[in-house]
Amino acid sequence: MASAVMKKTLTSIKNPLILRGLSSHTLRFSAVATARNPESEGASSSFTFNEKNSDKDDSIHVKGPSSNPRRETTSVTMPMSFMTGSIVGKRFYKQASTREADDGNGWTVMLDYRTLKTPSKRPLKLPTLSLAKAIAAEWEYQQTDGIRPFTMPLMKLACTALERVPLTRMKIIEYLMKKFHQDLVFCRAPGDSDLTIGVLERQVEKIDPLLQWVESQFGFKPIVYSSFFGGKQEDGLVNAIENLLKKTDDCELAAIDAIASAAHSLTIAIGIFRGKLQIEEAIELIRLEEDLQVDKWGLVEGGHDVDVADLKVQISSAAAFLGLSRRY
């Protein structure tokens, strides 16, 4: 389902610069969301998420519009389960569209005449029209029998970038740097184990070019190790990576954090961020050892295939969000 939404979501984006680095199959998606003329929208009502606990109530509560909806706003409150993956309510709108923000700085998403808002009830103001269209496409794709938040990864990333990152930026960077020493691409399989025959050679073949790129970009050669507890990278490399993260904007940091979390590798996230890695290349590096085991022992249906699909959605959605949020 989520993979299908990603296909729908990137439909109307035609700028090749924005989609640079995305996989070839992503570029074939068809259009869903369209931008409207701001003047034709009139005053907008609001759509918000409810942050309160609502374990016993997963319904959608709608305050009806007044006789003159252009003067009085309408609110739609979603239960907290929207952010946790449950199916919530029924689709209550006919069309999702985009419009320029009232202050002319950014773009918003409209559900009929309602303005989409963040969980803290602030307007979902997006940096580019392309990203607004993509998020509108996620809403347009929702079925009449229920809204499925787990099929809206771009919406989730947008809320993270607008609300979580500004408040916890330094904590996010500190956590990423703490995990940097245990980065997936720094860990090498022992070459003397029957269970890892061929893994070390494959790591050298596939990962070493990325490590050489890191050295050329930041001036320090990454240290590889074979311990599960990680190693210690040089302070120069650590400082260079940390400075890069500090210079990112909120959307970029949200995307890097999401990719690093899914990949267990900040290096792979930075490779996508800097355009060194494409989605398929990143997924190949992330699953390198497991895919070798699958080739040797076979694929477990309902296990390996689900993991692969989930990883593709996480990496591709974050990479798409990164590209769509950039102003060219």
Side-chain angles (χ1 to χ4, degrees):
M1 175 70 74
S3 297
V5 171
M6 283 304 301
K7 293 178 181 179
K8 289 276 187 176
T9 301
L10 300 177
T11 69
S12 58
I13 314 305
K14 304 299 184 181
N15 189 336
L17 292 176
I18 292 176
L19 294 178
R20 181 173 53 191
L22 301 185
S23 57
S24 58
H25 63 270
T26 303
L27 301 178
R28 296 195 295 267
F29 304 157
S30 58
V32 174
T34 58
R36 285 185 177 177
N37 187 339
E39 287 78 10
S40 67
E41 297 290 348
S44 62
S45 55
S46 64
F47 174 94
T48 63
F49 306 112
N50 184 10
E51 292 185 279
K52 296 180 180 179
N53 218 335
S54 57
D55 294 337
K56 297 182 180 180
D57 185 7
D58 277 346
S59 60
I60 300 175
H61 305 286
V62 183
K63 179 182 178 182
S66 66
S67 58
N68 189 352
R70 294 181 178 272
R71 293 186 179 180
E72 182 176 339
T73 61
T74 302
S75 63
V76 181
T77 303
M78 297 292 289
M80 189 58 189
S81 56
F82 183 93
M83 304 306 289
T84 60
S86 302
I87 297 177
V88 293
K90 292 185 178 181
R91 176 168 173 161
F92 55 88
Y93 54 93
K94 294 182 179 179
Q95 182 181 19
S97 59
T98 60
R99 63 173 290 177
E100 190 174 6
D102 292 337
D103 60 4
N105 183 23
W107 297 83
T108 60
V109 175
M110 305 293 295
L111 303 181
D112 294 335
Y113 54 86
R114 303 174 180 91
T115 301
L116 195 58
K117 292 191 175 183
T118 66
S120 64
K121 300 183 180 182
R122 292 183 296 183
L124 188 76
K125 187 183 294 185
L126 303 162
T128 67
L129 174 59
S130 298
L131 180 58
K133 281 187 175 184
I135 292 176
E138 288 184 330
W139 285 94
E140 184 70 26
Y141 184 74
Q142 298 305 303
Q143 305 299 305
T144 56
D145 65 335
I147 295 175
R148 292 163 170 78
F150 50 85
T151 65
M152 306 171 74
L154 297 179
M155 177 67 188
K156 181 178 178 180
L157 283 166
C159 290
T160 299
L162 293 172
E163 302 214 313
R164 174 174 171 248
V165 174
L167 298 177
T168 61
R169 165 174 281 272
M170 289 312 302
K171 289 184 178 180
I172 294 172
I173 293 175
E174 288 172 6
Y175 180 78
L176 288 172
M177 296 312 303
K178 180 180 178 181
K179 293 295 183 180
F180 180 62
H181 298 285
Q182 290 82 43
D183 199 295
L184 173 71
V185 299
F186 300 151
C187 184
R188 291 296 166 87
D192 56 354
S193 171
D194 292 338
L195 294 176
T196 59
I197 292 178
V199 176
L200 179 59
E201 291 80 2
R202 192 67 178 274
Q203 288 177 327
V204 171
E205 175 190 355
K206 295 294 184 178
I207 296 178
D208 273 11
L210 178 62
L211 301 185
Q212 292 167 4
W213 174 81
V214 170
E215 182 179 7
S216 69
Q217 291 289 303
F218 301 102
F220 298 90
K221 184 177 181 179
I223 299 172
V224 298
Y225 48 83
S226 58
S227 170
F228 285 112
F229 301 101
K232 181 73 169 67
Q233 297 298 321
E234 290 188 38
D235 290 340
L237 179 59
V238 172
N239 293 334
I241 297 295
E242 185 173 3
N243 288 334
L244 180 148
L245 296 178
K246 289 179 178 178
K247 294 177 181 178
T248 58
D249 61 35
D250 292 340
C251 288
E252 290 172 338
L253 186 57
I256 290 173
D257 183 40
I259 295 171
S261 177
H264 304 288
S265 172
L266 178 57
T267 306
I268 289 176
I270 291 175
I272 293 177
F273 172 67
R274 284 285 187 89
K276 168 60 178 176
L277 294 175
Q278 294 191 0
I279 293 172
E280 293 89 346
E281 295 172 327
I283 291 173
E284 181 182 14
L285 295 183
I286 297 167
R287 291 192 48 83
L288 187 148
E289 184 172 355
E290 188 168 359
D291 282 344
L292 287 175
Q293 296 299 328
V294 169
D295 291 341
K296 183 176 182 180
W297 303 105
L299 181 142
V300 177
E301 292 186 3
H304 292 126
D305 51 350
V306 173
D307 290 342
V308 172
D310 180 63
L311 180 63
K312 287 182 177 180
V313 169
Q314 292 186 62
I315 299 298
S316 60
S317 60
F321 180 82
L322 179 63
L324 295 169
S325 65
R326 286 173 169 167
R327 298 182 178 93
Y328 290 94

